[in-house]
Amino acid sequence: MPRVSLPITTERLTLRSFRPGDEDDVFAYRSVESVVRYIPGDPKTREQVADLVAERATNGRIDPTSPNLTLAVELDGRVIGDVLILLEGLGGADGRQAEIGWVFAQDVAGKGYATEAARAITDAAFREVGVHRVWAELEPENTASSRVCERLGMRREAMFVKASWFKGEWTDLAVYALLADEWPAGRQS
Ligand SMILES: CC(C)(COP(=O)(O)OP(=O)(O)OC[C@H]1O[C@@H](n2cnc3c(N)ncnc32)[C@H](O)[C@@H]1OP(=O)(O)O)[C@@H](O)C(=O)NCCC(=O)NCCS
């Protein structure tokens, strides 16, 4: 089964498994209504954050019973967000694709941290897990998230109209993607 070597270090960030002690940092962003507006679920309670931190302890291994890898993104000792790789096609070494996602605290916005972390998990998905394609789906009105995709060099491949029942309404859905042989360009930008 594929494994991502942890921690992943970038110029400014460390991407690592969640661990006890992360709860306050995670609660600080996961409990905010505007932060979870475009991600599934309501703002989290302290109890839910404690479960989330405990459930997401990982050794980097991705297997069919646990096809998603969620990593804490640490900046100077503080968890400022989390990023996700959700692997599809785990039946064999061929046919693998990965969905990626991200959520970050609002007070660190506008400094490129989400893009830096997203670039690191995209790189791990292509180079360590060996996926053929990395993709992300989002509501097009979530323009900050669209720009993260674009900075990675992802292509907007689809825009489905009122295709998703999300938080009590039909919403549009944009799909962004990038193929393995296109990745070197994204890594440099
Ligand atoms: C989506 C989300 C992660 C984007 O956050 P963000 O702060 O815009 O993204 P980054 O951290 O990559 O910062 C990029 C911005 O910093 C600027 N920036 C400053 N210094 C930078 C640097 N060194 N490198 C790159 N960008 C830098 C960029 O120009 C960019 O600004 P712009 O978008 O106005 O052009 C954030 O809005 C979020 O967590 N939202 C809630 C959760 C969510 O919606 N998740 C996605 C669901 S689909």
Side-chain angles (χ1 to χ4, degrees):
M1 282 299 127
R3 181 185 289 275
V4 172
S5 307
L6 299 179
I8 301 172
T9 52
T10 67
E11 196 183 332
R12 298 176 293 178
L13 306 170
T14 301
L15 279 59
R16 59 159 173 83
S17 177
F18 281 93
R19 61 188 180 218
D22 288 339
E23 293 82 359
D24 287 349
D25 287 345
V26 177
F27 181 73
Y29 63 90
R30 284 273 180 171
S31 63
V32 177
E33 176 78 49
S34 53
V35 170
V36 302
R37 164 69 185 85
Y38 295 110
I39 61 175
D42 292 325
K44 299 258 184 272
T45 63
R46 281 199 172 272
E47 205 170 43
Q48 289 168 329
V49 165
D51 289 344
L52 182 151
V53 167
E55 284 161 11
R56 291 178 177 181
T58 174
N59 57 10
R61 192 164 182 270
I62 309 178
D63 63 44
T65 58
S66 178
N68 56 333
L69 180 68
T70 306
L71 299 176
V73 179
E74 189 181 297
L75 171 73
D76 299 333
R78 172 190 164 199
V79 177
I80 58 166
D82 50 87
V83 287
L84 164 82
I85 299 179
L86 178 55
L87 206 58
E88 301 167 2
L90 265 168
D94 299 328
R96 289 180 184 158
Q97 303 189 47
E99 181 181 357
I100 56 172
W102 38 76
V103 49
F104 280 76
Q106 280 173 335
D107 68 305
V108 299
K111 297 191 169 69
Y113 296 133
T115 302
E116 192 169 317
R119 184 172 286 130
I121 52 164
T122 302
D123 195 54
F126 281 131
R127 286 159 28 106
E128 289 199 75
V129 183
V131 303
H132 159 72
R133 176 174 177 264
V134 167
W135 62 280
E137 67 176 27
L138 48 93
E139 281 184 46
E141 68 176 39
N142 188 357
T143 52
S145 205
S146 304
R147 287 197 296 274
V148 172
C149 294
E150 285 157 9
R151 278 190 289 270
L152 294 185
M154 295 176 108
R155 176 178 46 248
R156 183 155 130 176
E157 295 190 336
M159 226 290 285
F160 299 107
V161 178
K162 304 268 184 236
S164 169
W165 180 254
F166 191 70
K167 302 204 170 177
E169 59 180 342
W170 287 107
T171 57
D172 297 345
L173 208 56
V175 176
Y176 285 80
L178 187 65
L179 300 176
D181 59 9
E182 297 170 321
W183 180 231
R187 283 175 65 204
Q188 252 104 83
S189 62

